[in-house]
């Protein structure tokens, strides 16, 4: 999906980022999914969940297996799982892939 222009809307002192395209949502949690470039994430972070805006961000340069695992890992956070080990187990149970086992030195989860 190509990202189009984004519009900031200010309402009662809070800013909200409103995309002007049909948003992709995570089926399990209902969170909005944004695919972002490596430069838009902290170093060595593959994905993150923003609970304030209910948004999952996933780097757009990941392999298919990495993207599936990171997406489901962040979906676990969006569903309320805080513990990293439990979110990894949740993601692995849905994808059949365990990113941490293969890339533990590469991955750092952002909060």
């Amino acid at each position: 999906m190509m990202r189009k222009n984004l519009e900031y809307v200010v309402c009662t002192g809070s800013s909200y980022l409103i995309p002007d395209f049909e948003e992709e949502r995570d089926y399990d949690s209902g969170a909005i999914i944004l695919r972002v470039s490596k430069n838009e994430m902290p170093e060595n972070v593959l994905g993150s969940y923003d609970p304030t805006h209910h948004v999952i961000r996933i780097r757009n340069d990941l392999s298919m297996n990495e993207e599936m695992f990171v997406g489901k890992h962040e979906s676990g956070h969006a569903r309320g799982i805080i513990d990293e080990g439990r979110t990894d187990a949740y993601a692995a149970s849905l994808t059949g892939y365990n990113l941490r086992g293969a890339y533990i030195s590469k991955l750092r989860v952002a909060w």
Side-chain angles (χ1 to χ4, degrees):
M1 170 188 357
M2 295 295 292
R3 287 185 4 176
K4 296 183 181 178
N5 293 330
L6 299 176
E7 175 183 348
Y8 281 97
V9 176
V10 178
C11 178
T12 63
S14 297
S15 295
Y16 298 94
L17 186 62
I18 309 296
D20 68 349
F21 56 85
E22 185 175 332
E23 57 202 26
E24 180 182 359
R25 291 208 175 251
D26 175 59
Y27 179 80
D28 296 325
S29 67
I32 295 170
I33 298 174
L34 297 177
R35 298 195 184 330
V36 299
S37 73
K38 182 178 182 178
N39 297 335
E40 295 177 74
M41 301 288 281
E43 186 178 350
N44 296 324
V45 173
L46 304 181
S48 66
Y49 171 63
D50 174 1
T52 302
H53 298 103
H54 201 46
V55 173
I56 293 171
R57 289 178 180 80
I58 303 171
R59 274 191 15 201
N60 63 5
D61 64 341
L62 303 179
S63 72
M64 185 174 65
N65 284 339
E66 289 172 327
E67 181 180 333
M68 288 188 326
F69 181 86
V70 171
K72 289 305 177 186
H73 176 95
E74 300 307 335
S75 175
H77 288 309
R79 296 184 74 211
I81 304 170
I82 297 170
D83 180 75
E84 291 301 314
R86 289 186 59 215
T87 52
D88 283 348
Y90 172 77
S93 73
L94 295 173
T95 64
Y97 182 76
N98 188 342
L99 182 65
R100 287 221 195 243
Y103 299 96
I104 191 70
S105 64
K106 178 179 173 183
L107 177 68
R108 183 173 65 89
V109 178
W111 285 91

